Amino acid sequence: MIVRILGEGQFDLTDADLDWLNELDTAVETAVENGDQAAFETALAALLDAVRSHGALHELDALDPSDLILPPADATIDEVRAILGDEGLIPG
């Protein structure tokens, strides 16, 4: 599975990573729904850090489409609210 963090690049993760990514995504979604800026910043940072630390950088020369696209670390709560789907940032 290829996950893109906007402004940073793509990371290769396994399908098995989806469960814990969804847990972190739920925290982002909850913070956005509650309009809790502090919780949002913490949750988004945790999600992006998890992708960076568990994923491997995808080949820079490859032109492969991303399976998931995550907002940049400096995204605002309103920007993330606009891109949240019914299943959060990470479907599943």
Side-chain angles (χ1 to χ4, degrees):
M1 168 176 55
I2 300 172
V3 178
R4 174 177 292 282
I5 298 176
L6 292 174
E8 291 187 34
Q10 293 178 305
F11 297 85
D12 294 317
L13 290 119
T14 67
D15 289 340
D17 294 323
L18 267 179
D19 286 341
W20 57 265
L21 285 176
N22 270 315
E23 290 177 23
L24 296 169
D25 182 42
T26 297
V28 172
E29 190 174 4
T30 300
V32 170
E33 287 173 359
N34 293 332
D36 186 336
Q37 182 68 35
F40 164 75
E41 291 173 3
T42 299
L44 181 59
L47 176 61
L48 299 181
D49 286 345
V51 170
R52 292 182 198 109
S53 63
H54 290 276
L57 273 175
H58 192 73
E59 262 186 67
L60 295 176
D61 296 342
L63 297 175
D64 300 317
S66 300
D67 298 299
L68 299 171
I69 299 174
L70 298 176
D74 63 350
T76 67
I77 197 168
D78 290 332
E79 291 169 332
V80 172
R81 182 179 290 119
I83 62 173
L84 275 176
D86 292 339
E87 297 183 84
L89 296 170
I90 301 172

